[in-house]
Amino acid sequence: MKSHLNELENNKLVTIKHELERIIHFFDRGQWPNGFTPHADLAYAYGVSARKVRHCVNSHLRKNGSEKRKVRHDVGKTIFNSPAMRQRTYTPYNYFKKLQRKNNPGVSI
């Protein structure tokens, strides 16, 4: 199974899923051929799980149908050209303390 789809694949998947849901309402389940499971077939065709299909649809709706990705706030900054980046510490202990402060606001840690 694929773990990631690119934006074009995501948009195609969402469009096909919306069309499937629109078409399904025209037919009674009794008229469907045996073994016809449209959502499972769609997931199988893309090599992803049904959960991934739901995730793609939800993220597509959250982004208002845009293909743009998030842009980092520190684009172009490195430890060589930014003093703020040089002062950052990435150790497990500092990460743990930051997590403790976030989970226990107002408590002296």
Side-chain angles (χ1 to χ4, degrees), residues 63-98:
K63 293 187 221 173
N64 295 325
S66 172
E67 294 183 21
K68 294 181 180 175
R69 297 179 67 151
K70 286 193 283 186
V71 179
R72 290 179 57 125
H73 69 282
D74 58 355
V75 172
K77 297 179 183 173
T78 66
I79 58 171
F80 302 110
N81 64 10
S82 170
M85 291 290 280
R86 283 193 290 272
Q87 299 303 318
R88 289 188 183 173
T89 348
Y90 298 103
T91 64
Y93 179 73
N94 287 340
Y95 179 77
F96 170 76
K97 291 304 248 180
K98 181 179 177 182

